[in-house]
Each structure stands twice: as C-alpha cells, then as structure tokens.
Amino acid sequence: MRIDIISVLPELLESPFSHSILKRAKAKGLLEINVHHLRQYSTFKHNQVDDYQFGGGAGMVMMMEPLVNAIEDLQKQVTYDEVIYLTPDGKTLDQRMANTLSLKGNLLMICGHYKGIDERFREHFVTMEISIGDFVLSGGELAAAVLVDAIGRLLPGVLNDETSALFDSFQDNLLAPPVYTRPDDFRGWKVPEVLLSGDHRKIDEWRHEEALKRTKERRPDLLKKH
C-alpha cells in the first residue's frame, strides 16, 4: 500500500512513522508513506498557503492553488483509490472504516489547518472526509498519524501474528476481553482458572462472555450493532 500525505507541518509526522509497527511495515516493503510539504507547491510570495476568508471572520483558510498544484502533481504519478481530508466534520473513524481502507492500494490524505480548506477543493477533489473524534486539533497531522496506524497494522504481514488484529476491540462490535500474563498468582491476585485449563473451547466461551460483559458496562451502544 502507498499513502501520500499533504501537510503544512510535515515534521510533525516524522516520529509516528519511524517507530514500532509502522517502521516494521515500511522496512518489509508492505507500506510506503510519503509526506509532502504543501508550501513547495505554492507560487505565492514566502510560499503562502493560506489567506483571509471571504465574508470576514476570525481565522485563515487554506488556499485552492497550492492544494490543487500538489494533488495534480501527485496524480501524474499515482492513481488514488481515495483522497481523504482529515476534518472534525468528517465521518467518525471506526474499525470497519479502517478495515475497508486497509484493502485499498493507494491513499492520499490532506491535513487541514487554520479554519480549514477552501470548500471548492473539498467539492472537486476530496472523495472521503474523516474525523477521529468530536474535538478540534491544531491540524490534521495527528489525525493522519492515527488513521495511518489504524490502517497499517491491518496489512497482511505487518503484525507478527496476523490473527491478532482479528481479535481487537471493535472488530465484531465488541470490546476486547481482559488479558493476563505470567505470573498466574501475583500477591494473591490470580488469573481466572479457565485460562489455565488448556480447554480452548471453554477459553473461547469465557472470552466471548467477558467481551459481552465489558461492552455492556462500558459501551452499550455497540451492542445494538452487534
């Protein structure tokens, strides 16, 4: 998979993509991530990429021309399955969306800043708008990092155990059950006996019941989907 990201502050994305699972995915050649500095596509003085909004009001707006220059230049090299704009008013990211996007070949992400991007760019170039929650960040870079991580870990061969992602929270609209590791008795706090039994059928049943219980307690809204 190839993911291109257009950003005003590309340095914010250096660390998230240089460690852990995403670093491994890139090293294996399973994921290519390219971050492009929007100011390189500006033809204005001082590489300007924003201007005052028509109608007045506080806050600047990202301009059409640098964004169009950037996407049209990239589209000469790549055909994108989705052009994604990270924005608070987009559709909220969930596991199903991450699953779907992980099956794509090439993605382009646009990181917003200021009051957002010119609406005409959204109308003519953006195919998908995604939010990571009902709150506002200083820019779309952190949201892009979250989205790339959610997608990247699902690519075949990225995780050491490819079945691991299948049992994550939200994959079946349930939260994941409790997990334990050694020692089985710490200060008298013991691991449930069923997990030590070796009976995989009973263990699976226990995990499913615990997942249901935890979801009912913490996210009952998910049970409607389940």
Side-chain angles (χ1 to χ4, degrees):
M1 170 179 277
R2 170 171 170 163
I3 297 178
D4 289 285
I5 303 173
I6 298 175
S7 167
V8 176
L9 295 171
E11 56 271 21
L12 288 178
L13 293 169
E14 292 176 2
S15 179
F17 302 151
S18 301
H19 303 278
S20 189
I21 290 175
L22 292 184
K23 178 182 179 181
R24 186 188 313 150
K26 293 194 297 179
K28 290 182 177 180
L30 302 173
L31 177 61
E32 177 184 349
I33 304 173
N34 305 298
V35 183
H36 307 274
H37 200 318
L38 181 61
R39 294 191 187 280
Q40 294 179 341
Y41 296 95
S42 174
T43 58
F44 299 95
K45 187 177 181 181
H46 306 305
N47 297 323
Q48 178 185 354
V49 296
D50 62 297
D51 207 342
Y52 296 103
Q53 55 180 310
F54 284 123
M60 308 291 278
V61 176
M62 294 176 70
M63 305 163 69
M64 282 286 292
E65 187 170 341
L67 287 166
V68 172
N69 288 344
I71 191 171
E72 290 185 343
D73 181 64
L74 291 170
Q75 285 177 330
K76 293 176 183 177
Q77 312 166 40
V78 186
T79 299
Y80 293 106
D81 297 297
E82 298 286 356
V83 175
I84 301 169
Y85 174 44
L86 285 310
T87 173
D89 57 355
K91 185 176 181 180
T92 304
L93 175 65
D94 59 16
Q95 191 61 48
R96 179 175 295 182
M97 188 186 302
N99 291 345
T100 299
L101 290 173
S102 73
L103 301 176
K104 304 292 185 179
N106 302 308
L107 301 175
L108 176 62
M109 300 182 187
I110 313 292
C111 300
H113 265 274
Y114 318 114
K115 294 298 287 185
I117 63 178
D118 191 299
E119 185 68 19
R120 291 167 293 181
F121 185 84
R122 297 172 73 165
E123 293 172 350
H124 292 280
F125 293 94
V126 173
T127 64
M128 192 173 190
E129 300 188 346
I130 296 177
S131 167
I132 63 168
D134 294 340
F135 50 87
V136 178
L137 298 171
S138 299
E141 285 75 16
L142 296 181
V146 168
L147 180 56
V148 172
D149 189 276
I151 295 170
R153 66 189 305 279
L154 297 173
L155 299 178
V158 171
L159 298 180
N160 290 330
D161 182 352
E162 293 188 11
T163 64
S164 176
L166 299 177
F167 299 99
D168 288 338
S169 290
F170 307 113
Q171 283 291 12
D172 54 2
N173 287 322
L174 295 176
L175 299 181
V179 293
Y180 301 85
T181 189
R182 292 179 289 182
D184 62 323
D185 187 337
F186 181 77
R187 297 181 179 177
W189 305 329
K190 298 182 180 181
V191 172
E193 287 293 332
V194 65
L195 297 179
L196 308 175
S197 68
D199 188 326
H200 295 293
R201 182 182 63 80
K202 289 184 178 180
I203 291 172
D204 288 343
E205 290 175 353
W206 179 88
R207 284 175 171 162
H208 183 67
E209 289 302 316
E210 288 297 315
L212 284 170
K213 178 182 176 183
R214 177 163 288 189
T215 306
K216 182 178 180 180
E217 292 174 348
R218 304 184 182 189
R219 290 291 304 276
D221 58 296
L222 293 175
L223 291 177
K224 296 178 181 178
K225 299 178 182 179
H226 181 74

